[in-house]
Amino acid sequence: MIRLAPLLALLLLPARALAEPGMQRTQLPLSKIFDHPIFSLEGTHVELFSLLFLFLLTTLVMAVRKRRQLIRHVVQLVSLFVFFYVVFSCLGVFGMIRNTIHGISLIGTVHTESFFWMSLPVCVLAFSLTSGPFFCGWICPTGTIQELFTMLREAATRRRAPRATPVNLTLLAIFFLGFLYLVFTVGEERRLFVEDSSLYWAASTILVSFLVLTGLADDIASRALRWVSFLSILVSAVFKTIITSPVHFAFVDVFDPASAITTLVLGVSSIFVGRAWCRYLCPWGQLMSLVHRFSRVKIVASASACTSCGACVSACRVGAVEIGRVRTEHCQLCFACVDACPHGGIEALDTWRAPAAAEAEVREGRAP
Amino acid sequence: MSARALLLLGLALLPSPARADSEWRMWRGTVEGAGALRLAGSGERPRAWQFQAGSHVWGYQPGLSVWSSAALGTVQGRPLVVVGSYDANVYALDALTGERRWRFTTGAGVYATPAIASIGGRQTVFAASSDRLLYALDADSGRRLWIYTVKAWRPTIGGARLSSPAVGKAGEKAAVFFGHWVWDKSLAGHLQAGGVTAVDATNGRELWSTPLGDNQLSSPVYAVLGDEARRLFVASENGNLYALDARDGKVLWSFTDRNAIKASPVYFLGARGPRVVIGSKAGRLRCLDALSGEEVWSFKTSHWLDGSAAVGEVAGRRLVFVGSYDTNLYALDAESGAMRWSYRTRAGIYSSPALLSDRGELRVLVASWDHHLHCVDAASGRGLWTVNTGRPLWDSITLGDSIWASPSVLELEGKSPLVVIGSYAGPLHAIPFDEARRQDVLAGPGSNRGFWVRLPVVMLAVAALTLILTRRHRRASARSAPPAR
């Protein structure tokens, strides 16, 4: 619980401190610190620089083995701060796909804008290729919020694996009804536009979590839904048919109740299934898993060093680790399994240096 | 005495600009953005009418607007509504009856509000079309007087967005100022150019042209700060507000905001000097010193400010009215930026406010995404009436890309004011103020039925897909598992 205190403080205190007298009750308790561009580079503002700072910070501190998980939470905290109070650009999991397509379509039309829209997603993908998909595990604010909820549950129940108890299922069902009521209330006040389609994703997250929790659906099999999620966003971005709002409400400092509800849903769903959104529906996560296939850094488990103690499995909040095996396509490079293994049997590997041989070495336990 | 002090003295001696005059010289009619035209009364009472350009619905593309905001003027003593349409036409309608007087077809959608001014004794309409041309048309007959080509056609040219023209003076010549943005994506003829150009209002010859980056520009406001100080204020989507010398187009100062600027600026003469007010996608309304570009005050709203502000006077105090996508219409003190009141609609406000005098009381009109036109008392912020303007022609539209039509008001002495607004539902509406008051309908914020139908469909599909995937996965696992002994 003590570890959660700074995260909660981050969410609540600056919001109070920064609230302005002119704000209306519709204003979310978020206010960007920088109202003027720091760098006078038209159209790019501070977004790219903030993100580069975050990425460089992460790549540096990732190598520190001692208290790595605590450091990771600090980086997540800094990242939340940056996304809530510094940058305006939508770095949402929908937004990045849409922005990339939009940026490509603007090539030749508006240079600065094209650069602006594409810079962040390209930056994320490039770093993921060279240093692994640490964006998901260390930086992504949507992931951080989910993890915060999962940690709250862990702190409360002292248990990591979610269980399909009647109480859990009833709570999830009640939460779904609450979600419907919230959406209905919002719909009373305003029309729901296609921009609000993140609500469909929110409802689907609860549904899939429910199915997995009851055992009707398989955890690993359901992750193929990310493909559907990714393709539907891609198609809508290319054809400009459906426009989705950022899943995360805090990015753009605007009143966006649908995104706020969706963020709440993703958080609460993670109480029942750790990082439920990342597992089943995150379209950007699907793209990251594709990139991770070719990325330089991978987490690899050594079969011979494994004593099947299960420490790595319970440490992984995305269910990417089975005993003696790390599923690369689901790994978020958070190093939780590496740090949890009491025998040092799980390692981050530079697969570009000696790709196949090194991997085989570790798998077979021949690595030093 | 410093030059600045001299200029301020000159400004103080200038007569206060009338809230509306007989010409529609720029995007909201006046520098203060009232969106209203006051005319001496004629015998005829205006009646409610609707004008539908055609039944065909053209494809949606980001940035379009079914109608431009209407420009109002007079021709042969009768009030005239001139409006651009996405069907590439400029329409001139009789304001009292809605009868079409003439139509002029351009090569692409006309999203910019035309300007109407008397040039050389002839009422002239200046219309900027997305076909990269600025047209000067005879207001009486619709006959083309001259055109100005921003960029000559070539096979690879992509498109253009021209902003509403502003009529003023460049040196001694009557001039038309307008912003333009043209692009060509081809590798060979690569081009992306935004800028402001002044052309001679009498013959269409270019007087000057100033390039201003590669982004779309908002509609310029032409303000007279003194005999020799004529300024153009124009904003760009690259986040800058520029002040240009109307004489030669030289950029005098620029102010960089935190985010893109879609709105057009307004100008007013405050108690402590001339001011420019501009809102941006960052949601902050800023009041700047028109002479130096320094910020005087700012006011934070919770969402985009895509519409212009309007400045009006209530009980001897000047107020700035602005509608935000955060659903509120705000009234702010023009000198300090302090909020006087806010009025909440049921969805984001996209339009610029129009101000009108209803039996001596100032009223504010704004259009909102709840598909209603709202009338608000400017003194108290109390809602007076709303009129349903209909749902958009397309289901999937992008919020924040287009400048949809704002209301314009024709005030006829001794008669009920006529409110003209082009709806994104198709028709152009003209509603006498008193009739709108009687309608006083506030229907729901539009139906969300589509959402509640789609939600179970999406959930069923997701559930079915999840179960199919699970079944396949379990079968595959069973096949690959070693046989039980």
Side-chain angles (χ1 to χ4, degrees):
Chain A
M1 240 359 232
I2 293 167
R3 281 194 300 176
L4 298 179
L7 280 172
L8 290 171
L10 173 86
L11 286 171
L12 301 174
L13 294 178
R16 289 286 121 218
L18 294 166
E20 293 187 23
M23 287 180 189
Q24 294 301 289
R25 65 190 175 92
T26 52
Q27 168 76 57
L28 292 163
L30 298 162
S31 185
K32 302 292 180 184
I33 292 170
F34 301 106
D35 230 4
H36 293 277
I38 299 176
F39 305 97
S40 56
L41 187 59
E42 281 177 3
T44 58
H45 305 303
V46 294
E47 272 81 359
L48 186 59
F49 298 100
S50 310
L51 198 78
L52 284 173
F53 159 73
L54 274 176
F55 271 88
L56 293 172
L57 174 75
T58 311
T59 46
L60 282 177
V61 298
M62 248 185 350
V64 181
R65 284 166 182 254
K66 201 175 173 187
R67 313 202 76 176
R68 182 156 40 193
Q69 290 308 306
L70 181 64
I71 294 172
R72 184 168 74 90
H73 293 318
V74 172
V75 172
Q76 284 180 312
L77 194 142
V78 173
S79 158
L80 264 193
F81 182 80
V82 167
F83 286 109
F84 274 40
Y85 300 108
V86 179
V87 298
F88 279 71
S89 170
C90 166
L91 196 73
V93 286
F94 290 176
M96 284 206 286
I97 297 168
R98 196 184 59 208
N99 291 353
T100 312
I101 302 294
H102 186 54
I104 290 169
S105 76
L106 286 179
I107 292 175
T109 309
V110 200
H111 276 151
T112 48
E113 265 191 66
S114 175
F115 173 68
F116 173 69
W117 292 118
M118 284 202 298
S119 58
L120 300 189
V122 167
C123 183
V124 174
L125 292 176
F127 268 91
S128 302
L129 200 62
T130 54
S131 308
F134 63 86
F135 172 78
C136 298
W138 291 68
I139 293 173
C140 177
T142 311
T144 303
I145 287 180
Q146 288 179 86
E147 200 162 344
L148 177 68
F149 276 84
T150 309
M151 286 164 76
L152 280 171
R153 194 247 313 170
E154 287 169 1
T157 62
R158 299 187 177 280
R159 193 180 291 130
R160 289 219 153 179
R163 293 204 320 193
T165 59
V167 175
N168 273 351
L169 294 176
T170 311
L171 282 175
L172 194 54
I174 291 173
F175 176 66
F176 181 66
L177 292 176
F179 160 75
L180 291 181
Y181 175 74
L182 263 178
V183 176
F184 180 76
T185 317
V186 168
E188 281 285 286
E189 286 283 315
R190 66 198 282 276
R191 269 205 67 206
L192 296 167
F193 289 95
V194 278
E195 273 79 358
D196 299 326
S197 56
S198 64
L199 291 170
Y200 299 117
W201 269 264
S204 304
T205 308
I206 304 176
L207 176 70
V208 180
S209 302
F210 186 83
L211 291 174
V212 170
L213 211 57
T214 52
L216 287 169
D218 204 77
D219 175 44
I220 293 294
S222 305
R223 297 183 191 210
L225 286 172
R226 289 192 311 197
W227 266 117
V228 181
S229 184
F230 171 69
L231 289 175
S232 54
I233 298 292
L234 185 70
V235 168
S236 68
V238 170
F239 294 103
K240 295 186 176 175
T241 49
I242 304 167
I243 311 297
T244 50
S245 61
V247 162
H248 205 295
F249 66 94
F251 294 149
V252 281
D253 195 19
V254 296
F255 176 58
D256 186 355
S259 283
I261 292 174
T262 307
T263 307
L264 178 73
V265 168
L266 304 192
V268 176
S269 300
S270 298
I271 292 177
F272 300 94
V273 180
R275 286 203 174 211
W277 166 257
C278 303
R279 288 182 191 221
Y280 308 124
L281 286 167
C282 179
W284 187 257
Q286 185 56 42
L287 197 59
M288 294 293 274
S289 78
L290 288 178
V291 173
H292 197 189
R293 281 189 190 180
F294 310 101
S295 72
R296 188 172 66 87
V297 180
K298 283 180 186 166
I299 304 287
V300 182
S302 154
S304 61
C306 181
T307 58
S308 302
C309 67
C312 52
V313 178
S314 58
C316 183
R317 292 199 172 99
V318 281
V321 184
E322 291 167 8
I323 288 176
R325 185 188 171 199
V326 178
R327 288 177 176 271
T328 307
E329 68 271 29
H330 305 311
C331 176
Q332 296 188 339
L333 216 74
C334 67
F335 289 89
C337 55
V338 178
D339 296 336
C341 183
H343 312 292
I346 306 180
E347 280 291 331
L349 203 69
D350 183 346
T351 56
W352 283 7
R353 210 170 47 188
E359 210 169 311
E361 241 175 42
V362 172
R363 284 226 172 96
E364 289 157 24
R366 282 185 278 118
Chain B
M1 196 182 269
S2 71
R4 183 188 164 90
L6 271 173
L7 195 53
L8 284 175
L9 182 67
L11 282 169
L13 295 174
L14 273 176
S16 172
R19 199 167 57 75
D21 57 24
S22 60
E23 292 179 331
W24 197 275
R25 300 180 78 90
M26 59 196 84
W27 127 258
R28 294 303 288 153
T30 64
V31 286
E32 296 184 337
L37 180 76
R38 181 176 290 170
L39 294 175
S42 65
E44 205 172 334
R45 279 174 66 89
R47 61 179 177 83
W49 51 261
Q50 276 190 17
F51 177 76
Q52 185 90 35
S55 56
H56 182 74
V57 178
W58 301 85
Y60 172 78
Q61 52 173 296
L64 71 65
S65 162
V66 180
W67 297 99
S68 75
S69 299
L72 304 165
T74 52
V75 66
Q76 293 179 348
R78 281 187 77 82
L80 189 74
V81 175
V82 181
V83 64
S85 166
Y86 82 127
D87 70 1
N89 287 307
V90 179
Y91 293 96
L93 313 165
D94 188 299
L96 300 178
T97 62
E99 194 182 312
R100 194 177 90 188
R101 290 184 68 110
W102 52 261
R103 179 184 73 176
F104 182 85
T105 305
T106 72
V110 184
Y111 311 131
T113 305
I116 307 171
S118 176
I119 304 293
R122 186 207 300 262
Q123 285 291 329
T124 310
V125 172
F126 299 98
S129 169
S130 298
D131 63 2
R132 305 176 314 286
L133 301 177
L134 175 73
Y135 297 85
L137 311 170
D138 179 35
D140 188 19
S141 62
R143 191 170 56 85
R144 193 179 88 181
L145 303 174
W146 52 257
I147 55 168
Y148 171 79
T149 310
V150 175
K151 193 80 197 169
W153 183 85
R154 58 191 186 207
T156 57
I157 200 96
R161 288 283 181 276
L162 270 61
S163 64
S164 305
V167 182
K169 275 189 158 183
E172 291 308 309
K173 287 184 174 164
V176 186
F177 310 93
F178 66 105
H180 43 80
W181 177 54
V182 187
W183 70 89
D184 179 347
K185 289 189 184 184
S186 71
L187 209 55
H190 180 75
L191 167 82
Q192 44 182 324
V196 175
T197 294
V199 296
D200 192 323
T202 52
N203 53 27
R205 287 202 190 114
E206 182 179 311
L207 298 172
W208 52 258
S209 186
T210 303
L212 291 174
D214 57 6
N215 293 70
Q216 188 171 351
L217 290 145
S218 71
S219 301
V221 161
Y222 170 84
V224 182
L225 275 67
D227 281 345
E228 290 303 315
R230 298 189 170 103
R231 299 280 184 271
L232 277 180
F233 301 101
V234 64
S236 163
E237 281 201 10
N238 67 15
N240 283 300
L241 173 72
Y242 300 99
L244 280 73
D245 191 331
R247 198 171 34 192
D248 51 13
K250 198 175 130 199
V251 178
L252 301 171
W253 54 260
S254 69
F255 178 89
T256 309
D257 206 328
R258 181 63 188 73
N259 213 327
I261 303 181
K262 196 99 187 155
S264 302
V266 294
Y267 166 91
F268 70 96
L269 184 56
R272 293 187 207 97
R275 301 283 184 255
V276 185
V277 179
I278 185 78
S280 78
K281 287 275 189 194
R284 194 175 277 277
L285 187 75
R286 297 180 195 278
C287 178
L288 311 175
D289 185 332
L291 300 173
S292 62
E294 281 166 27
E295 186 174 303
V296 179
W297 54 258
S298 73
F299 179 80
K300 178 85 173 72
T301 74
S302 310
H303 215 307
W304 306 325
L305 290 171
D306 278 1
S308 299
V311 184
E313 199 167 305
V314 178
R317 290 203 65 96
R318 309 202 93 188
L319 297 181
V320 175
F321 304 95
V322 69
S324 164
Y325 263 77
D326 72 4
T327 73
N328 288 300
L329 169 70
Y330 295 94
L332 314 171
D333 188 284
E335 297 304 324
S336 65
M339 190 176 78
R340 286 304 184 85
W341 52 257
S342 69
Y343 167 82
R344 194 170 183 205
T345 68
R346 295 188 174 196
I349 295 174
Y350 61 85
S351 86
S352 306
L355 307 180
L356 65 97
S357 171
D358 171 30
R359 300 174 181 88
E361 302 287 331
L362 193 68
R363 310 292 190 212
V364 189
L365 296 173
V366 280
S368 155
W369 272 111
D370 61 12
H371 315 315
H372 282 77
L373 180 69
H374 295 255
C375 177
V376 183
D377 176 31
S380 63
R382 191 167 49 89
L384 299 175
W385 51 255
T386 62
V387 172
N388 196 333
T389 50
R391 296 167 60 106
L393 286 171
W394 307 270
D395 281 340
S396 299
I397 49 175
T398 328
L399 289 184
D401 266 354
S402 300
I403 298 292
W404 300 93
S406 298
S408 303
V409 181
L410 179 67
E411 293 184 79
L412 291 164
E413 219 172 284
K415 305 268 181 339
S416 172
L418 186 73
V419 181
V420 181
I421 182 164
S423 165
Y424 42 53
L428 179 79
H429 298 278
I431 313 157
F433 188 83
D434 286 342
E435 284 186 33
R437 196 210 309 259
R438 278 199 294 277
Q439 285 186 25
D440 199 17
V441 281
L442 180 59
S447 169
N448 284 318
R449 200 171 47 216
F451 174 81
W452 293 108
V453 170
R454 279 191 296 269
L455 186 68
V457 173
V458 168
M459 292 191 69
L460 273 175
V462 169
L465 199 59
T466 311
L467 296 176
I468 290 168
L469 287 167
T470 301
R471 202 172 158 192
R472 281 186 55 187
H473 182 74
R474 285 179 182 165
R475 276 187 185 171
S477 303
R479 271 201 300 273
S480 60
R485 295 189 179 175

